[in-house]
mmCIF file of all heavy atoms in Angstrom:
data_model
loop_
_atom_site.group_PDB
_atom_site.id
_atom_site.type_symbol
_atom_site.label_atom_id
_atom_site.label_comp_id
_atom_site.label_asym_id
_atom_site.label_seq_id
_atom_site.Cartn_x
_atom_site.Cartn_y
_atom_site.Cartn_z
ATOM 1 N N MET A 491 -3.597 7.277 6.705
ATOM 2 C CA MET A 491 -3.609 6.246 5.683
ATOM 3 C C MET A 491 -2.367 5.323 5.764
ATOM 4 O O MET A 491 -2.397 4.175 5.478
ATOM 5 C CB MET A 491 -3.715 6.841 4.308
ATOM 6 C CG MET A 491 -4.963 7.531 4.029
ATOM 7 S SD MET A 491 -6.486 6.674 4.544
ATOM 8 C CE MET A 491 -6.593 5.355 3.275
ATOM 9 N N HIS A 494 -3.777 3.077 8.378
ATOM 10 C CA HIS A 494 -4.750 2.373 7.700
ATOM 11 C C HIS A 494 -4.072 1.125 6.894
ATOM 12 O O HIS A 494 -4.533 0.000 7.046
ATOM 13 C CB HIS A 494 -5.550 3.208 6.727
ATOM 14 C CG HIS A 494 -6.487 2.440 5.835
ATOM 15 N ND1 HIS A 494 -7.883 2.621 5.923
ATOM 16 C CD2 HIS A 494 -6.258 1.557 4.899
ATOM 17 C CE1 HIS A 494 -8.409 1.802 4.938
ATOM 18 N NE2 HIS A 494 -7.479 1.238 4.326
ATOM 19 N N GLU A 495 -3.140 1.518 6.058
ATOM 20 C CA GLU A 495 -2.421 0.463 5.267
ATOM 21 C C GLU A 495 -1.825 -0.531 6.183
ATOM 22 O O GLU A 495 -1.914 -1.716 5.816
ATOM 23 C CB GLU A 495 -1.456 1.145 4.321
ATOM 24 C CG GLU A 495 -2.125 2.045 3.281
ATOM 25 C CD GLU A 495 -3.084 1.138 2.366
ATOM 26 O OE1 GLU A 495 -2.816 0.064 2.034
ATOM 27 O OE2 GLU A 495 -4.221 1.600 1.942
ATOM 28 N N HIS A 498 -3.922 -3.286 7.383
ATOM 29 C CA HIS A 498 -4.170 -4.446 6.490
ATOM 30 C C HIS A 498 -3.158 -5.587 6.737
ATOM 31 O O HIS A 498 -3.506 -6.776 6.559
ATOM 32 C CB HIS A 498 -3.956 -4.083 4.995
ATOM 33 C CG HIS A 498 -5.224 -3.284 4.438
ATOM 34 N ND1 HIS A 498 -6.479 -3.950 4.393
ATOM 35 C CD2 HIS A 498 -5.377 -2.041 4.007
ATOM 36 C CE1 HIS A 498 -7.385 -3.077 3.869
ATOM 37 N NE2 HIS A 498 -6.727 -1.846 3.623
ATOM 38 N N HIS A 527 -12.684 -4.447 5.785
ATOM 39 C CA HIS A 527 -12.175 -3.120 5.311
ATOM 40 C C HIS A 527 -12.915 -1.928 5.965
ATOM 41 O O HIS A 527 -12.460 -0.856 6.190
ATOM 42 C CB HIS A 527 -12.315 -3.005 3.789
ATOM 43 C CG HIS A 527 -11.101 -2.140 3.146
ATOM 44 N ND1 HIS A 527 -11.105 -1.984 1.848
ATOM 45 C CD2 HIS A 527 -10.252 -1.315 3.812
ATOM 46 C CE1 HIS A 527 -9.969 -1.091 1.639
ATOM 47 N NE2 HIS A 527 -9.524 -0.788 2.717
ATOM 48 N N ILE A 530 -11.525 -1.365 9.193
ATOM 49 C CA ILE A 530 -10.133 -0.730 9.052
ATOM 50 C C ILE A 530 -10.352 0.675 8.772
ATOM 51 O O ILE A 530 -9.618 1.620 9.386
ATOM 52 C CB ILE A 530 -9.382 -1.578 8.013
ATOM 53 C CG1 ILE A 530 -8.898 -2.853 8.552
ATOM 54 C CG2 ILE A 530 -8.069 -0.733 7.652
ATOM 55 C CD1 ILE A 530 -8.096 -3.704 7.536
ATOM 56 N N PHE A 531 -11.216 1.099 7.904
ATOM 57 C CA PHE A 531 -11.403 2.481 7.560
ATOM 58 C C PHE A 531 -11.920 3.235 8.763
ATOM 59 O O PHE A 531 -11.415 4.242 9.202
ATOM 60 C CB PHE A 531 -12.492 2.694 6.410
ATOM 61 C CG PHE A 531 -11.921 2.801 5.091
ATOM 62 C CD1 PHE A 531 -12.157 1.770 4.146
ATOM 63 C CD2 PHE A 531 -11.147 3.792 4.700
ATOM 64 C CE1 PHE A 531 -11.635 1.948 2.851
ATOM 65 C CE2 PHE A 531 -10.561 3.994 3.492
ATOM 66 C CZ PHE A 531 -10.861 2.935 2.487
HETATM 67 ZN ZN1 ZN B 1960 -7.474 -0.167 2.817
#
Side-chain angles (χ1 to χ4, degrees):
M491 296 318 284
H494 169 116
E495 290 301 320
H498 281 294
H527 209 177
I530 289 178
F531 267 116

